[in-house]
Amino acid sequence: TDDFVLYRYQQPLHGGPWGIQTGTVPGENRIFFTHIGVTEVYENHLVLVRTAEQRILGQLVFATDQDAKAFTDLIMSFRANRARTN
């Protein structure tokens, strides 16, 4: 939408005495563009999306560094566009 990005993910379930993964459950997260303060891209293609107060809004892992940087550029441009229209 014009206000947020929605992504879905699989959350692992761990059980048993050794914490072995026993399955997954679906999850969903919305990152509102007006809440974004900064993004961070790490060498392992992890992107952290944070508020200005450093609260983590989202953690996303990409296949390549190029994909991670493209996502960061895209989401920050949406943030800037949303800030201009408010």
Side-chain angles (χ1 to χ4, degrees), residues 63-78:
T64 67
D65 191 50
Q66 183 178 3
D67 290 344
K69 289 177 181 175
F71 172 79
T72 298
D73 291 343
L74 183 64
I75 201 165
M76 292 306 281
S77 70
F78 287 153

Side-chain angles (χ1 to χ4, degrees), residues 51-68:
T51 65
E53 295 80 28
Q54 299 301 308
R55 181 175 170 263
I56 295 175
L57 297 173
Q59 299 176 341
L60 300 102
V61 179
F62 292 89
T64 67
D65 191 50
Q66 183 178 3
D67 290 344

Side-chain angles (χ1 to χ4, degrees), residues 13-64:
L13 290 176
H14 298 281
W18 297 281
I20 297 169
Q21 183 174 336
T22 57
T24 61
V25 293
E28 173 176 295
N29 190 21
R30 292 179 185 186
I31 300 175
F32 287 85
F33 301 128
T34 55
H35 296 168
I36 297 172
V38 295
T39 58
E40 302 168 14
V41 179
Y42 293 90
E43 289 181 15
N44 60 354
H45 318 304
L46 170 71
V47 175
L48 293 181
V49 181
R50 297 180 183 261
T51 65
E53 295 80 28
Q54 299 301 308
R55 181 175 170 263
I56 295 175
L57 297 173
Q59 299 176 341
L60 300 102
V61 179
F62 292 89
T64 67

